[in-house]
Structure formats: C-alpha cells, structure tokens
Amino acid sequence: MLVGGREYRTIWPTADGSAVEIIDQTRLPHEFVTVQLTVWEDAERAIRDMQVRGAPLIGVTAAYGLYLAARTNPAAEPFRLAADRLRSARPTAVNLMAAVDRVMARVADIDETALADEIGRVAAAMADEDVRACRAIGAHGLSLIRDAAERRGEDEPVQILTHCNAGALATVDRGTATSPIYEAHEAGIPLHVWVDETRPRGQGARLTAWELGQHGIRHTVIVDGAAGHVMQRGMVDLCITGTDRTTAGGDVCNKIGTYHVALAAADNSVPFYAAVPSTSIDWRMSDGVSEIEIEQRAREEVSRITGRTPDGRMESVDILPDESSVANFAFDVTPARLVTGLITERGVAAATRAGLEALFPEAARR
Ligand code: MRU
C-alpha cells in the first residue's frame, strides 16, 4: 500500500529478525506510526486492542506472535500457552484460529532449537499468500467493476459502496474489498467510493478514507445510516465489503452494519458482493446466524468519541448519558440469500455451498 508515496506492507519482520513491525492503526488517520513487537504478548495486545485489525492481518500477526514466542521461550508449556492466548485474542475472524492451528500443526514434530526459524518461514509464507490472494481477488473483482462501468456509460464514474475497512490495512497489502477498486483505478476506470463511517470505531472514516486518499481515489464518507439513502437515489452501482468469517453455505459475517447494507442493496436491486479470501471461509459452519460467535466489545467504544482538537491534540469525549446501558456488537451476519456473489482468489462464487465447493473442490473432499 502507498503511504506518502512509499510502498508499505502492514506487517514485516525487522532485518535482524528480533522483532516484528506493524502500523499502529489506532493512531490513523492523524498519525502514521509504526511499532515493534518483541514478545508474543505484544502481538496479543496489538490484536486485542486493534493496533492491527481485519481478519487476514490478525491471522498473520498471530503467526508472527508465535514466532516471537518461539524466539523467547520455545519450551513446550509456555509455547502452548502463547498459542492459546493468541488464538483467543479475538473471537470472530476465523483467520486468527486458522493461522494458529496451521502453525501448530506445522511445528508439531519440530525440535525446540529449530522452532523459531520454522515459524518465521511459515509466517512469511502466510503473509505472501495473503498478498497473492488479495491480488487475485482484485483481478476477479475488476471484471465486475468493468461491467458496471459499461452500464454507466462513457466517463461516468462507477459508484461503489463499502463498509468498515477491508482495505490494505485489514490485510498484509492491497486489501480484499479494496483490491478490485485499486485494480480498476490503475486500469483507468473512473470511479468514486462511498465510505460508510462504520461506528463505533470508525474503520471506514478513519482507515478506508485515509487509505483511499493515499492512493488518490475519489471517495465520500457517509454516516452508516445514509447507505440505504444513496442506494435508493441510484447513486451506487455495487457494494463490496470484506468478511471476518464466511460459512460454507455463503453466510457472510462482517463488521456490524454490513447486514443493513445488504438489506438496502437488495431492496434497491444493487448487487452486493463480499470479497472473501479462502482463509476467511469456515468450512465447518453452514448457518452463520446461529453458529458464529459475535464479539462484544467495551462500552467506551460506543459511549466516547476520540478525535483531534484544532490545536492538534487527541481527545476523547463522552457522548451518552452516564446512566444509559450500551450493547456493542462488533459484527453481524448477512444471510447468503442477500449476497450476489463472493469474490474469492479463484473467481466469483455463488453464495452457496455448491458455489464455493465448485471453486474449492478440495474443501468438499475434507
Ligand atoms: O473489527 P475489525 O476492524 O477487525 O473488523 C474488520 C472487518 O470487519 C473487515 O471488514 C473484515 O475483517 C474484512 S478485512 C479484509
């Protein structure tokens, strides 16, 4: 991803291998700061406090967290504890558990002395695979944007609506939902992105808007409640969101508010796509509404708002009556029937078990 015109990934090991560096996403958009994780507890905290977030990125961060654990204390018991704690740092994105399980399976028979090097290689491979998957999602999603451009007609920008941040910041690079947008922009297709602000933490307003701005892509931030309105007025050609966990039956779990976007899209005949790397598919689940654990987060994310004052200080203010109770559901599930298609690294699948298994036959055989 471009930051100030320079290419970055969102996570990388330092040159001497003693630490892992991340972009601290809690400081964006006002400050671009990178921080070094030196012990596995740093990685766990980074995931839990959302210095890193987004399903693919927290998976890769957990893998690098295990690398740090193996460097500092590879003995079986402490290493197992680190794995358990990293695995449960957040509950909803399947990438996190899948990443920890993949590393643990890979190193099951490996000697303590070789552990760190091997995990470092696995984590780096996972990061590279994520970039390749996001690039492929971009190529498949590009054809959907091209079709929309043809329907719009010459020089009229394609209007895309997205929710949360499923951008480069949510992955190792390029993003899932944003990848087709970057491809289309680079192919010279005029486009404009409606960015849902995504309360309570504002991943759309703070992260997607910043990221698109860094790439020179035209965008407009709207409050979440305006998504239905812009669709009703014919101002959206297609919606593309990310996912934290998509079931084998095609139900899409994503940031809270995604379900409303899909409902409004269906009511206005606007195609609704989720960009789904295979690392976000949970083949063991079929009914997302009853089976997926939805993370509930702290009251303060809803009751307080943080921003920059005119003199440049970051400040938080209360916006609710002290006595009001708060529910802070972080994700929701969009049923497959509302999903036009799933943009995967192998192509666009129907949001059905058959549709997904046609692209991933090895999963059907499991
Ligand atoms: O709570 P977050 O910010 O981790 O939630 C992230 C999302 O909901 C993203 O849309 C999702 O992880 C897809 S990221 C490619």
Side-chain angles (χ1 to χ4, degrees):
M1 68 180 296
L2 289 176
V3 180
R6 197 185 132 185
E7 278 290 347
Y8 274 87
R9 282 188 172 190
T10 56
I11 188 166
W12 61 94
T14 55
D16 66 0
S18 65
V20 174
E21 201 152 339
I22 57 163
I23 298 169
D24 182 351
Q25 301 191 24
T26 62
R27 310 280 286 272
L28 292 171
H30 302 302
E31 292 172 322
F32 178 77
V33 175
T34 66
V35 295
Q36 290 195 354
L37 316 175
T38 54
V39 291
W40 70 264
E41 290 91 338
D42 292 340
E44 189 214 6
R45 198 175 319 108
I47 295 169
R48 195 168 7 87
D49 297 347
M50 295 175 67
Q51 285 179 303
V52 289
R53 27 70 50 207
L57 179 56
I58 63 179
V60 174
T61 306
Y64 273 118
L66 286 170
Y67 163 72
L68 296 172
R71 269 181 63 86
T72 49
N73 196 347
E77 214 29 57
F79 183 68
R80 165 70 54 189
L81 172 83
D84 289 347
R85 292 268 300 275
L86 284 161
R87 199 176 188 282
S88 54
R90 294 188 70 190
T92 302
V94 70
N95 305 57
L96 177 59
M97 298 89 199
V100 172
D101 293 348
R102 174 170 165 186
V103 171
M104 296 305 276
R106 179 73 168 263
V107 300
D109 301 321
I110 285 189
D111 187 75
E112 274 177 26
T113 53
L115 201 58
D117 283 350
E118 181 59 16
I119 300 177
R121 278 191 288 274
V122 179
M126 286 167 69
D128 290 344
E129 283 166 25
D130 183 57
V131 177
R132 281 198 295 276
C134 287
R135 286 262 172 202
I137 284 171
H140 295 299
L142 172 62
S143 56
L144 301 173
I145 297 179
R146 272 197 205 287
D147 292 348
E150 267 165 36
R151 288 194 299 274
R152 270 267 161 202
E154 197 75 349
D155 292 337
E156 269 237 45
V158 177
Q159 302 283 344
I160 302 166
L161 185 140
T162 192
H163 189 76
C164 192
N165 172 266
L169 288 167
T171 62
V172 175
D173 198 3
R174 205 69 175 176
T176 56
T178 55
S179 188
I181 294 171
Y182 291 136
E183 292 286 330
H185 178 68
E186 288 161 14
I189 299 173
L191 51 86
H192 166 263
V193 184
W194 295 101
V195 178
D196 279 2
E197 69 169 342
T198 319
R199 275 284 284 152
R201 289 185 68 100
Q203 289 95 326
R206 294 191 306 105
L207 303 179
T208 304
W210 179 80
E211 196 187 307
L212 293 176
Q214 291 292 323
H215 288 83
I217 294 179
R218 279 185 54 212
H219 61 278
T220 303
V221 178
I222 52 175
V223 298
D224 299 328
H229 172 76
V230 291
M231 288 191 235
Q232 198 176 47
R233 296 290 164 108
M235 294 152 84
V236 180
D237 295 305
L238 70 163
C239 303
I240 312 179
T241 72
T243 185
D244 292 85
R245 189 184 295 241
T246 287
T247 68
D251 292 341
V252 174
C253 180
N254 193 48
K255 180 54 54 187
I256 194 77
T258 304
Y259 177 37
H260 276 80
V261 172
L263 283 171
D267 194 46
N268 292 285
S269 304
V270 173
F272 174 93
Y273 293 97
V276 183
S278 55
T279 50
S280 297
I281 302 173
D282 189 337
W283 296 100
R284 298 158 314 147
M285 289 189 179
S286 45
D287 178 31
V289 175
S290 65
E291 292 178 90
I292 298 177
E293 179 181 348
I294 300 294
E295 178 179 15
Q296 294 200 48
R297 295 185 58 88
R299 168 193 172 87
E300 289 68 33
E301 291 185 352
V302 176
S303 69
R304 298 178 72 79
I305 284 200
T306 303
R308 188 172 59 180
T309 62
D311 60 358
R313 283 173 300 112
M314 293 303 292
E315 217 165 85
S316 287
V317 292
D318 285 319
I319 56 167
L320 292 187
D322 291 341
E323 62 279 14
S324 294
S325 59
V326 162
N328 185 8
F329 302 103
F331 300 94
D332 61 24
V333 175
T334 298
R337 66 173 184 280
L338 297 175
V339 179
T340 310
L342 305 169
I343 313 171
T344 77
E345 67 266 37
R346 295 201 190 158
V348 182
T352 59
R353 184 176 281 274
L356 280 170
E357 286 182 355
L359 291 184
F360 298 92
E362 68 277 25
R365 285 194 295 270
R366 272 203 285 225

